[in-house]
Amino acid sequence: SASTGKTFTALSDGSLTPLPTDMKVEWQESFAIVPEYHHLPIVEDNIPAEPLQVIRGLRLNKIIKENHEQSIVQTGFFRNVLFTLAGTQLNVYDSTHEGCHLDLFLQYNLDTEIDEDGEVAPEKQYTCCTWAVDDDPNNLYLLMGVGNGEVQVMSLLHRRVVAVFDQDRGSSVLGVVTVPNRTWVLAYADDDSVHLWDWKAGKLLHRYACSMSVLAVSPQSTHFVGGNSTGGLTYCALPTTTRSTD
């Protein structure tokens, strides 16, 4: 303070208290600079009186309530088509017309057993899903993992499951990831295994013995890297041929 010759410090409650006279204080010329946003008109709770421009463009188009009364475990877009996965139910929507969603169809895992409490066993429920394409521009596929170790291939053109791959009974598929520019899919399970399938040809190409909770494939389709629950990373090479191996 230049008027009193004393130096003050601000407390958390906003009051000032003088510093000891024998304390050396090094002044900085920039300490009093206040950012411009502090000069905006402020209302209660320190919220600017004028809404930000980015918020003005947001609007809610539609809320959809699905009929399964279960948690949606995964969603994914391919162009204008959206899938949702919950329990034993798959829903597919067309979102072309500015959010006016058209429900294309429902798919149920029909091989299910309901217990006395009306619950479906976890091994019968869908666990994960991803999109896949082949040479036919009119067809899309969904590859779905199941709690019993299966990988189901759904054709949107035919609206039915066209193939089922049985990995290891007693395991649950944790995730499915397609390999770029190939009709291959990696399915990793909770039994410390990763299966590489050619989902179009319907054959197993390779089985990797490794624990993975997440997985990513390189853009060159030469290898994949997975992380596990203990923080470890595993690097695995993808085969250079389509010959089936064990």
Side-chain angles (χ1 to χ4, degrees):
S1 173
S3 60
T4 63
K6 295 182 178 180
T7 303
F8 293 84
T9 183
L11 300 178
S12 59
D13 61 358
S15 62
L16 298 176
T17 184
L19 292 174
T21 56
D22 58 346
M23 180 178 288
K24 293 183 63 177
V25 178
E26 296 182 1
W27 296 97
Q28 296 181 2
E29 295 296 332
S30 61
F31 82 99
I33 295 178
V34 179
E36 292 184 359
Y37 61 79
H38 283 189
H39 299 292
L40 291 174
I42 302 297
V43 295
E44 292 184 7
D45 298 328
N46 295 323
I47 300 175
E50 290 295 327
L52 300 177
Q53 292 295 328
V54 67
I55 298 178
R56 290 175 177 171
L58 297 180
R59 62 189 178 91
L60 180 64
N61 283 339
K62 180 171 289 189
I63 297 177
I64 299 174
K65 181 66 173 71
E66 297 183 347
N67 64 351
H68 44 68
E69 300 293 337
Q70 299 183 68
S71 297
I72 296 176
V73 297
Q74 194 171 355
T75 64
F77 266 108
F78 186 87
R79 298 192 180 100
N80 58 289
V81 184
L82 170 74
F83 78 82
T84 66
L85 201 67
T88 60
Q89 183 172 324
L90 167 75
N91 289 272
V92 181
Y93 302 93
D94 176 10
S95 64
T96 302
H97 305 292
E98 298 182 356
C100 298
H101 300 285
L102 171 65
D103 194 354
L104 296 182
F105 66 89
L106 302 177
Q107 163 66 22
Y108 292 94
N109 188 12
L110 298 179
D111 183 21
T112 59
E113 297 178 1
I114 301 177
D115 62 21
E116 58 185 12
D117 296 325
E119 301 292 333
V120 177
E123 62 269 17
K124 299 297 185 179
Q125 298 186 25
Y126 293 126
T127 58
C128 52
C129 189
T130 190
W131 290 104
V133 295
D134 62 2
D135 297 331
D136 185 354
N138 298 315
N139 201 357
L140 282 175
Y141 297 88
L142 283 166
L143 311 179
M144 301 171 292
V146 190
N148 62 359
E150 292 180 352
V151 176
Q152 299 182 5
V153 182
M154 161 73 68
S155 167
L156 265 68
L157 178 63
H158 301 289
R159 303 191 179 188
R160 61 182 178 87
V161 173
V162 295
V164 177
F165 308 137
D166 191 2
Q167 297 202 158
D168 294 318
R169 286 291 176 180
S171 67
S172 177
V173 180
L174 301 178
V176 284
V177 180
T178 55
V179 178
N181 304 314
R182 303 283 187 101
T183 57
W184 295 357
V185 61
L186 288 157
Y188 53 100
D190 62 359
D191 63 347
D192 298 340
S193 69
V194 180
H195 289 70
L196 176 64
W197 297 93
D198 186 328
W199 59 265
K200 188 67 175 178
K203 63 181 181 180
L204 178 65
L205 300 180
H206 196 77
R207 184 185 187 277
Y208 302 83
C210 51
S211 174
M212 294 187 178
S213 55
V214 292
L215 186 152
V217 181
S218 69
Q220 299 81 15
S221 303
T222 56
H223 62 277
F224 64 93
V225 176
N228 60 34
S229 58
T230 61
L233 292 175
T234 303
Y235 174 100
C236 297
L238 289 168
T240 56
T241 67
T242 59
R243 181 174 59 88
S244 298
T245 58
D246 295 328

